[in-house]
Amino acid sequence: MSNLKTKIYKGMNKVMLDCETASLFVAQKDYSKLSILNRIKLWLHLLTCKHCREFARQSRSITYYMKVLGSINENEPVHKLSDDQKKHIIEEVEKQQYTN
Amino acid sequence: MKILDTPDIAKWVDEYAAGLLKRAMFKISDTEIAKDVVQDTFLAATEKLHTFKGESSPKTWLYSILNFKIIDYYRSKARQTVSPASQSLLKFFTETGEWNDPKKPRAWEDDDSHILDDPDFRLVMRNCLEALPEKWNACISMKYYLDKKGDEICQDLGITPTNLWQIIHRSKLNLRDCIETNWYNDH
């Protein structure tokens, strides 16, 4: 009987993920590179672990925030690249041509 | 065939520098670095002028050089070594792989898309990104700012896919923790 218990326990361990691996799978899933077996394992883990569910939700939020951040320009408008700055670039270009 | 020389480059600077800088600043948050990258673009253009055959417009040609220069910048960032302390997951997980109690993800209030309308929140986000090791920051920026696919990033930065997932995983753990500490715990 205890032999059966050990077998069940070992079997469970093969199926159950720890949180560290589960959170890695969550990050990996964004790339849809997760095997079917690992998807099932992750799904089972997320069913029972509210912290990892929270991590998955926040991970999605962060992905979304990053994408939006990439399209927001916080810097001052740049259409006024000053004449001095343009002159500086031209000078550098001429310097380079001179040395060539 | 028309031979191009300095006056043309000067004309291009006048015509395209502002547009190139605008593009660069969407991809690189640091203004000074973005300006350097634009300057490098014109220097590279001068050097390679003989390869420009006029098959594409100068504008297209300059933008393609700029894209290379932006990737170059992230590539050099990605070459920075990451300290073992940052690599370690022991801050987040116990040895048996369970969440460390203080680092357990807690529910975020008003975690919605409108939060990005708040400049203070955006500042927290950007600071948290800057706090990541340079290599991770480069991977994350290429993924989301340059909108690159995973295998392109691996190729550009010379890392394996497993490596990239680990970096994304660790970056997400750190970002999550940093946002919670500096935004949700402070409010």
Side-chain angles (χ1 to χ4, degrees), chain A:
Chain A
M1 187 64 199
S2 75
N3 200 355
L4 182 66
K5 260 189 188 166
T6 332
K7 267 188 182 168
I8 291 174
Y9 186 73
K10 274 188 181 166
M12 287 290 281
N13 262 354
K14 267 187 198 161
V15 178
M16 296 309 286
L17 297 174
D18 58 47
C19 297
E20 187 179 323
T21 315
S23 64
L24 174 67
F25 283 179
V26 164
Q28 217 168 316
K29 215 178 72 171
D30 289 350
Y31 297 81
S32 62
K33 288 269 170 70
L34 219 48
S35 69
I36 303 271
L37 181 64
N38 284 343
R39 272 167 203 263
I40 295 169
K41 284 183 182 177
L42 177 61
W43 179 74
L44 278 175
H45 182 92
L46 291 181
L47 269 184
T48 55
C49 176
K50 73 169 187 193
H51 300 297
C52 285
R53 274 205 302 277
E54 205 55 64
F55 177 77
R57 182 159 38 230
Q58 290 167 5
S59 174
R60 275 198 302 276
S61 297
I62 290 170
T63 300
Y64 172 73
Y65 296 162
M66 289 291 308
K67 284 186 176 162
V68 177
L69 271 191
S71 64
I72 298 176
N73 197 343
E74 312 271 3
N75 301 294
E76 77 276 17
V78 284
H79 52 271
K80 294 174 214 119
L81 186 77
S82 73
D83 288 344
D84 278 354
Q85 283 165 339
K86 283 184 192 168
K87 223 173 90 188
H88 177 71
I89 295 177
I90 293 169
E91 276 165 13
E92 289 295 318
V93 166
E94 279 168 355
K95 222 188 287 170
Q96 184 185 327
Q97 283 179 328
Y98 183 73
T99 50
N100 276 349

Side-chain angles (χ1 to χ4, degrees), chain B residues 80-92 133 135-136 170 174:
Chain B
Q80 306 294 319
T81 48
V82 180
S83 74
S86 312
Q87 296 268 29
S88 167
L89 285 174
L90 282 175
K91 186 175 140 197
F92 297 105
K135 182 177 188 166
W136 301 358
R170 283 165 167 76
N174 279 283

Side-chain angles (χ1 to χ4, degrees), chain B residues 33-48:
Chain B
I33 292 170
K35 281 179 184 166
D36 285 347
V37 168
V38 171
Q39 181 172 317
D40 283 351
T41 301
F42 283 109
L43 290 179
T46 315
E47 205 174 317
K48 292 184 201 157

Side-chain angles (χ1 to χ4, degrees), chain B residues 84-148:
Chain B
S86 312
Q87 296 268 29
S88 167
L89 285 174
L90 282 175
K91 186 175 140 197
F92 297 105
F93 299 103
T94 65
E95 274 169 26
T96 52
E98 303 309 310
W99 288 99
N100 255 341
D101 211 37
K103 300 294 179 191
K104 274 181 187 161
R106 296 190 298 104
W108 288 352
E109 281 161 44
D110 45 80
D111 166 24
D112 60 48
S113 49
H114 297 297
I115 199 166
L116 286 161
D117 296 339
D118 188 337
D120 290 340
F121 178 76
R122 294 204 300 269
L123 188 64
V124 167
M125 260 310 276
R126 289 189 199 272
N127 286 340
C128 290
L129 279 166
E130 283 307 310
L132 292 176
E134 293 224 53
K135 182 177 188 166
W136 301 358
N137 182 298
C139 293
I140 292 270
S141 301
M142 286 182 86
K143 173 93 179 98
Y144 300 112
Y145 287 4
L146 306 192
D147 205 17
K148 288 236 171 213

